[in-house]
Each structure stands twice: as C-alpha cells, then as structure tokens.
Amino acid sequence: MPVKYYMLDYMPKKYIKYLITMLLTVMSLTTHAEKSVFSLVTHYQTEKTVYTAWGHSALRVTPAFRSEKDPFCDDWIYNYGLFSFGDYTKFVYNFVLGRTDYMVGSQPFKYSFREAVKYKKVSVREAVLNLTDEEVERLDKALQVNEMSENCVYRYSFFFDNCATRPRLMLEKCVNGTIDYHFTDDTLTAQSYRQNIGERLSNSPWFNFGIYICLGEPTDRNMSDSLRMFEPVHMHNVFTRAEIVDSLGNRRPLVVSDNFLHRSDTKSECQWTLFTPNIVFWVMFLLVVAHTIFYYRRKKDDYIWFDSAFYSLYGILGILVFFLSFISEHACVFPNYNILFFSPLYLLCPVLCLVKRFRPALKYFHIFAFVSVSIALLMALVSDIWIWVDNDYFTKHTCLQSFHPAFYPIMLSLMLRSGSWMWRYGVRR
C-alpha cells in the first residue's frame, strides 16, 4: 500500500514536467514564427523649414509581441538626421566649413509619428521590408552598434550621405545577397541637382536664391537614378520595385507591403508676393539706373559714397562664395562661377574711393569688374538658351553653370556702375 500511494503521487508530477516542456517548445516555435519586422518610413516634404523640403527617411522596427492597447508603444525608429545646435555661432561656423556632423539615434516610433502628423503636418508612408530572420537579426544588431556613442556621429553630405542614403547603405550590408533596384548607373533622370532644388523650394524663393549663390557648377550636372535616391520620397518609390537577389540568383521583392500611415490634407500652395529676389533686384537695378543718369546729367561725382556701399554689398557676398569654394568641405561648391560678380575683391572699392592717393587705381578696378561681370553675363545667357533649347543635353554634357534669374539685374547693375565710371573718368584718370 505505501508503494501504491507513492506511485500515484509520482505520476502527476512527471506528466506536469512533460507538459511544461511541451509548452515551452510551442512558445519558442511561436516566437520564432512571429519575428520582428523592419520597414522604411518616409515623411513627405514640407517647406516650413529648408531642411524638411525633401522629406525624411528612417527605419522602423516592430517587435514580435506588441501591446494591444497601444500598437505603437513598443515600436522604435532609427533616424540618421539628428543634429544639435549647441553653441549656435559655432554650429553655423562649422556648417559653413562643411563640418556637418550628424548623428543616428533611436526613439519610440509614436513620438516620431506624432511629430510628422501634428507639427510637420505631412503624409507618412511605410514600406514593410521582406527580410529573413537572419537579415532582421543582422540589421537590428548593426543599427544598435551604429547607435553607440563612439559610432553614432557621421559627416553629413546633403546629396551623397544623408538621412536617406544611410538606411539604404545599412540595408544593403545586411541582406543575404544584393539589392537590384532595376536601374543602371547610366539611367539618367534628365534633371540636375539644381533643378531638383528649385522644384522643392518653389514656394521658398529666398532659400532657393541663397542656394544658387552657394552652390557651383557641379550642381548643374545630371543626376543618375541611383544618385537621386538622396531624395527620401524617390528612394521610397524605388524600394517598392526593388528585389533581393541571393547568391543562387533567386529573387524576392524587397517590399512586401506599402501603404500610408497618414495622409496630410494640407497642400503646398504657391503664395504670390512682391518680395521675391527677381522683383527686388530688378527694382534695385532701376534705382541704380535712375541714380546714375541723375548724377551724370548734373556732372556731379557720386561714386565715392555710392560705389563704396554698392560694391561692398556684393563684396561681402563674395567672401561667402570664396569661403565655400576654396575652404569649405561641402560638395558641389567648386568651381562656382558666381565669384565673377560676387567677388571679395569688390571690398577694395571703398578703400580706393575714400583714400585719394589710391583713386588712380579705380580705373583698373572698374575694368576688372566690367570684364569679369561681362563674362558671367555671357555664360548666363548661353546656359539659359542651352537649357531652353535642350535641357536634357545641357544637364548631361555641359560644364557651364546656370544662374538664378535675379542674377541678371545684379550683373547689369555692376556693369552699369563700372561702365559709367570708365565713360566719365576713365580717359583722364
């Protein structure tokens, strides 16, 4: 009897042990089946600030098990577009130098989503990536390593190394095989970088004008379809048609589903205003014409104070162009033919005008200014005619630089002042 009761007491414990083992096995299989998911999240463009005019790309990771109450609370997103102003003066100085150090960082997805929907008021689109368990694990680990303090900072480049190109690079390193985007490097878009900027900043004319001043001839070169993937929305569209090709040649789509998490109702509308670079500088040109004619008829010297202020304005801009072209580490800033009429040498004019013993050198100063601006004006005319006749050929083969329309009144004003000085004083001085 004692033995019989012992056996009855022993058997249930044995079965419970087996049952627990089976449950753990089933749970492990279930966890393996419900893997984490990565997706490319794209914020659409907004012109509220210049750095959001192209949109934003990030990688979202959705865990296998999520909260039923708040489906976004466990999701995280990795951004390669973080930067800190810190000391604002130092930040601006480093930015002009081209020392644009950006960071990668993660945050809960719901915060990023709320920022896009509530503050930026832009559409948010998600492409779920078709990755295997091994690729998911590899990408997850790579992002975590990249986020470490010793690895998180990288040298940002607007066209070549930004918030869109970084996720693409990380993904290409972590897939088993290669990604076929269904284009070749010679598939050109018939659009230059500068034209892309003008398209994105159509409602921000002064931002566009400033970028025209800073960026040089390389910006007018044609983008290939692969290089255009610096633009987040374009990269998202390319991802939807891309395929992963393994070592055996087997193909699978890179994206398994593509949908909008939020569609913005706000539309970018062109706001008419008189305060645009074109209108402002044409008005300034007319004022320069009126001033020049008025003093020419009265036979009065007007060049001392007027030309000192006039040339100093463009000389200051010339310092910026010179600094970006020859000192900065930014891409696409050299050569910049704007230096022909935004020249730091114009800052010599106040010295030559205000110091009497230096005034004889004004003749050579104005000859230099007139000739250099004439070359720039000829280049602008040839470029614009070429673009009008055959834009595709221009962006593929030209070594010329296109100029902002507001540069025409600026160049004509400079030529007028130099030409009128040589007409009045050049022979006898």
Side-chain angles (χ1 to χ4, degrees):
M1 291 293 293
V3 176
K4 184 176 181 181
Y5 281 109
Y6 175 78
M7 291 298 295
L8 289 173
D9 189 48
Y10 170 78
M11 292 300 289
K13 291 182 180 180
K14 183 178 180 181
Y15 291 144
I16 290 172
K17 182 179 179 181
Y18 288 151
L19 182 60
I20 291 174
T21 304
M22 291 175 62
L23 287 173
L24 290 174
T25 304
V26 171
M27 287 178 64
S28 66
L29 291 173
T30 305
T31 303
H32 181 75
E34 296 182 12
K35 63 180 180 181
S36 297
V37 175
F38 273 97
S39 55
L40 176 71
V41 175
T42 302
H43 295 182
Y44 272 55
Q45 306 93 338
T46 173
E47 290 189 37
K48 287 186 176 182
T49 55
V50 67
Y51 58 83
T52 61
W54 281 262
H56 180 63
S57 293
L59 287 173
R60 174 188 181 185
V61 56
T62 304
F65 296 100
R66 307 169 67 187
S67 171
E68 295 181 359
K69 295 181 179 179
D70 186 357
F72 286 169
C73 72
D74 298 317
D75 294 16
W76 284 78
I77 194 162
Y78 287 88
N79 291 303
Y80 280 88
L82 304 180
F83 60 90
S84 174
F85 283 109
D87 182 349
Y88 187 76
T89 304
K90 185 177 180 180
F91 175 85
V92 172
Y93 174 73
N94 286 328
F95 189 87
V96 174
L97 274 177
R99 298 171 184 168
T100 48
D101 290 337
Y102 278 41
M103 297 173 288
V104 56
S106 62
Q107 66 176 145
F109 173 73
K110 61 181 180 181
Y111 297 143
S112 175
F113 184 73
R114 182 172 61 189
E115 179 187 3
V117 173
K118 187 175 180 180
Y119 299 106
K120 293 182 181 178
K121 301 184 186 305
V122 296
S123 298
V124 180
R125 187 176 170 192
E126 181 184 41
V128 179
L129 302 176
N130 185 21
L131 304 180
T132 64
D133 293 353
E134 181 185 355
E135 291 167 340
V136 167
E137 183 179 354
R138 191 182 301 148
L139 180 58
D140 190 31
K141 184 177 180 180
L143 289 170
Q144 292 181 34
V145 170
N146 203 185
E147 193 186 12
M148 293 179 178
S149 57
E150 63 269 26
N151 303 324
C152 66
V153 178
Y154 72 99
R155 183 56 54 86
Y156 173 89
S157 174
F158 178 70
F159 293 124
F160 307 112
D161 197 352
N162 65 3
C163 68
T165 60
R166 281 274 164 165
R168 171 192 171 185
L169 181 62
M170 294 295 293
L171 186 62
E172 290 175 344
K173 289 181 178 180
C174 294
V175 297
N176 293 320
T178 59
I179 300 178
D180 183 3
Y181 296 106
H182 294 290
F183 56 69
T184 57
D185 288 337
D186 59 354
T187 303
L188 300 178
T189 63
Q191 187 183 53
S192 67
Y193 292 105
R194 197 185 301 276
Q195 289 166 345
N196 182 273
I197 292 171
E199 183 181 287
R200 290 285 167 257
L201 297 178
S202 58
N203 294 331
S204 304
W206 285 102
F207 278 134
N208 191 28
F209 177 75
I211 291 175
Y212 258 89
I213 293 176
C214 297
L215 296 182
E217 179 269 331
T219 321
D220 290 287
R221 297 174 187 172
N222 187 273
M223 296 182 293
S224 67
D225 204 19
S226 57
L227 288 176
R228 193 183 172 187
M229 288 177 72
F230 82 92
E231 191 179 4
V233 175
H234 179 74
M235 188 180 78
H236 194 113
N237 292 331
V238 172
F239 266 44
T240 59
R241 68 171 186 255
E243 293 179 315
I244 300 175
V245 185
D246 64 20
S247 58
L248 299 177
N250 299 317
R251 291 176 174 266
R252 54 189 159 98
L254 176 62
V255 173
V256 291
S257 66
D258 178 37
N259 59 83
F260 281 90
L261 300 178
H262 172 75
R263 287 184 182 270
S264 174
D265 295 330
T266 57
K267 295 182 179 180
S268 178
E269 296 180 357
C270 182
Q271 298 178 352
W272 171 253
T273 176
L274 293 175
F275 191 67
T276 64
N278 290 336
I279 295 176
V280 167
F281 285 103
W282 276 114
V283 170
M284 288 180 62
F285 169 71
L286 294 177
L287 292 175
V288 171
V289 171
H291 174 91
T292 304
I293 293 175
F294 177 80
Y295 278 90
Y296 179 78
R297 288 184 174 180
R298 289 179 173 263
K299 307 296 183 182
K300 290 185 177 181
D301 291 338
D302 66 320
Y303 68 88
I304 295 178
W305 296 106
F306 185 83
D307 282 353
S308 294
F310 179 76
Y311 282 99
S312 293
L313 171 64
Y314 298 118
I316 293 171
L317 290 174
I319 293 176
L320 174 64
V321 174
F322 178 86
F323 194 86
L324 287 171
S325 298
F326 298 100
I327 301 176
S328 171
E329 299 176 20
H330 281 292
C332 299
V333 293
F334 179 84
N336 188 346
Y337 298 117
N338 293 332
I339 204 167
L340 291 170
F341 54 95
F342 290 136
S343 173
L345 294 177
Y346 291 165
L347 292 175
L348 293 174
C349 187
V351 178
L352 300 178
C353 288
L354 298 175
V355 182
K356 287 187 177 181
R357 62 176 179 167
F358 292 157
R359 286 182 188 173
L362 277 171
K363 175 181 179 180
Y364 303 102
F365 170 83
H366 285 291
I367 290 174
F368 162 77
F370 189 86
V371 171
S372 62
V373 176
S374 297
I375 294 172
L377 181 60
L378 178 62
M379 182 182 295
L381 290 171
V382 171
S383 298
D384 284 348
I385 293 172
W386 196 343
I387 291 172
W388 179 68
V389 173
D390 192 346
N391 173 71
D392 185 46
Y393 191 84
F394 178 86
T395 55
K396 288 180 182 178
H397 302 285
T398 186
C399 59
L400 295 178
Q401 179 175 325
S402 62
F403 296 91
H404 193 281
F407 290 172
Y408 281 103
I410 292 173
M411 290 186 282
L412 291 173
S413 297
L414 290 165
M415 291 179 67
L416 175 63
R417 290 307 300 172
S418 294
S420 65
W421 192 96
M422 289 187 294
W423 179 264
R424 292 179 66 181
Y425 310 107
V427 175
R428 66 175 186 270
R429 293 197 181 211

